[in-house]
Amino acid sequence: RDGGLVHLWAVDGTYEKGFKGWGTFGFRGETAWGHAGPGRKFDPADPTGSLKGQQSWGYYLETYFKFWPSFLDKTPFGEPFKKPQLVFAARYDWVDTDIDVFDQRDLGLVTLGISYRPLPRVAFKFDYQVDASPSERDGSGLGESGHGDRTDAFLFGLAVGF
């Protein structure tokens, strides 16, 4: 037994291609696999104190287009900044929390969005995220995320890098 150890392996990649006068088109993605070994618990019904290990995996694929329209150069969004950008992106995420079982805990998301980047390490984001999980497809719903209601969402965010 591996006594509750957690192992994680991941592979990711990015490809970008710039088009003079138009912007930059790119793809990125990542896949990860994890294993949590069985641990120990106190349960009078299970005097051995054993727990089942669990394996999970997931991935995301994203395509994006970075650009800046010249008509925004003389506006407050463009003028005070050196090289602002707008970024359109589309992303698909899938997480299978237990690969031994195809169930309602598997999570699939489709996200479409736009970001405004006035500085290279600052982004204001607006996304629309669609729940593409098995529970949405089969109508059974997840009790933890809306009691069977659609869990699509508008997301707003600010990201700052150091």
Side-chain angles (χ1 to χ4, degrees):
R1 289 176 34 143
D2 55 8
L5 291 176
V6 176
H7 305 279
L8 180 65
W9 294 269
V11 176
D12 61 64
T14 301
Y15 173 79
E16 285 190 346
K17 172 84 173 147
F19 296 95
K20 191 171 185 149
W22 286 91
T24 302
F25 184 72
F27 295 101
R28 81 177 106 219
E30 180 176 57
T31 186
W33 180 83
H35 171 78
R40 299 197 50 82
K41 67 176 181 172
F42 176 73
D43 182 354
D46 181 9
T48 64
S50 63
L51 288 173
K52 176 182 165 273
Q54 184 171 327
Q55 298 180 63
S56 58
W57 79 283
Y59 66 90
Y60 80 85
L61 300 170
E62 179 177 276
T63 185
Y64 56 90
F65 184 63
K66 300 176 185 177
F67 68 103
W68 185 254
S70 58
F71 72 86
L72 291 175
D73 285 343
K74 300 293 182 194
T75 69
F77 295 106
E79 194 167 39
F81 305 105
K82 202 173 195 177
K83 286 190 76 163
Q85 289 183 325
L86 291 175
V87 182
F88 283 123
R91 177 175 169 139
Y92 181 76
D93 296 87
W94 178 261
V95 177
D96 187 340
T97 58
D98 187 349
I99 63 174
D100 294 330
V101 180
F102 181 77
D103 63 11
Q104 296 175 5
R105 291 176 296 166
D106 298 345
L107 178 66
L109 299 171
V110 175
T111 307
L112 302 171
I114 187 167
S115 299
Y116 166 59
R117 301 179 70 94
L119 302 168
R121 294 184 179 262
V122 175
F124 296 90
K125 298 181 59 137
F126 174 72
D127 296 328
Y128 181 68
Q129 191 171 72
V130 177
D131 184 353
S133 301
S135 62
E136 278 301 325
R137 290 196 298 267
D138 69 16
S140 62
L142 282 175
E144 295 83 19
S145 63
H147 301 284
D149 298 334
R150 288 196 60 92
T151 55
D152 299 355
F154 288 103
L155 307 172
F156 301 92
L158 169 64
V160 179
F162 296 82

